Amino acid sequence: MLYAILDTVVDGYAPVIAGLQNDIDEIETQVFGGDPKVSRRIYELSREVVEFQRATRPLLEILAGLTAGFDKYRTDPELRRYLADVADHATTAAERVDGFRQALADILTLNATLVSQSQNEEIRQLTRASFAQNEEIKRVSAWAAILFAPTLIGTIYGMNFDHMPELHWLFGYPFALALMALTCATLYSLFRHRGWL
């Protein structure tokens, strides 16, 4: 009767182990698929594995105690064989559960690595975009400075003052145009040399 009860309990482990194996396989697929919810599932399954371990460990101790008392209580050889078979199955189940726990720890580490790599790639892309944006801002700023110089000179000469030295000068207008062109060319050359244009 003892053998029948223990055998039924240990046989009941098989579907649980198969379910855990199936869940671990699905989780591996999710990890490599980049599913963001997989970390929570790994954690929840790890808790289930720990609970299952707590349920299976005491039976191993009971079976070890029974096996140790075979000689002392002159247990029937056939019953010894049956109980040894149950102990083997229970040990195998416990080893599989230990393996699941280690596999889940490895999967969690792998998932953390993949998430980190993904985040690093996103940061690299943001950095590239920021760099490209900075380059565009440099270009726009350089052209704005080049266009501002003649506007400034033109604004000064466009004021309504009678006593400006160049106002009645014969070369005043060509001088203002030349000053604008020279300022623009100088700024263009400077920005080009710095790599802004």
Side-chain angles (χ1 to χ4, degrees):
M1 186 139 175
L2 176 64
Y3 161 73
I5 292 170
L6 292 174
D7 191 46
T8 302
V9 169
V10 173
D11 286 347
Y13 293 166
V16 176
I17 290 172
L20 289 172
Q21 182 64 59
N22 185 48
D23 287 347
I24 288 172
D25 292 343
E26 288 176 3
I27 284 173
E28 286 176 344
T29 303
Q30 281 181 286
V31 165
F32 287 110
D35 188 345
K37 297 176 185 174
V38 74
S39 294
R40 181 181 181 93
R41 188 167 180 207
I42 293 169
Y43 175 75
E44 290 170 354
L45 189 60
S46 294
R47 290 190 61 176
E48 287 179 29
V49 168
V50 168
E51 289 173 15
F52 188 56
Q53 263 185 325
R54 287 185 190 142
T56 57
R57 285 285 168 205
L59 184 60
L60 289 176
E61 293 171 12
I62 291 169
L63 288 167
L66 285 171
T67 305
F70 281 168
D71 292 332
K72 181 178 178 183
Y73 297 107
R74 296 189 184 102
T75 307
D76 180 54
E78 188 174 346
L79 182 57
R80 285 183 185 197
R81 236 183 3 262
Y82 290 153
L83 289 175
D85 185 50
V86 171
D88 286 344
H89 287 113
T91 302
T92 301
E95 288 172 354
R96 293 272 317 266
V97 173
D98 288 342
F100 290 159
R101 192 169 179 184
Q102 183 59 47
L104 286 169
D106 292 344
I107 290 170
L108 189 59
T109 302
L110 174 65
N111 184 54
T113 302
L114 292 175
V115 166
S116 176
Q117 287 175 347
S118 173
Q119 289 172 342
N120 288 344
E121 183 57 34
E122 288 175 11
I123 289 171
R124 273 195 292 274
Q125 289 174 356
L126 286 173
T127 302
R128 280 191 217 114
S130 176
F131 180 75
Q133 187 177 15
N134 287 343
E135 291 299 311
E136 286 301 315
I137 289 172
K138 284 180 186 177
R139 285 186 186 89
V140 169
S141 299
W143 282 112
I146 290 171
L147 294 175
F148 176 72
T151 304
L152 178 64
I153 295 169
T155 305
I156 291 173
Y157 281 99
M159 291 190 218
N160 295 324
F161 292 117
D162 286 332
H163 302 290
M164 286 182 70
E166 301 89 14
L167 197 57
H168 301 290
W169 182 36
L170 180 63
F171 298 107
Y173 180 70
F175 174 74
L177 290 178
L179 184 60
M180 289 180 197
L182 179 66
T183 306
C184 289
T186 303
L187 287 173
Y188 180 82
S189 174
L190 179 70
F191 291 136
R192 185 84 165 157
H193 178 69
R194 289 189 177 179
W196 286 26
L197 295 174

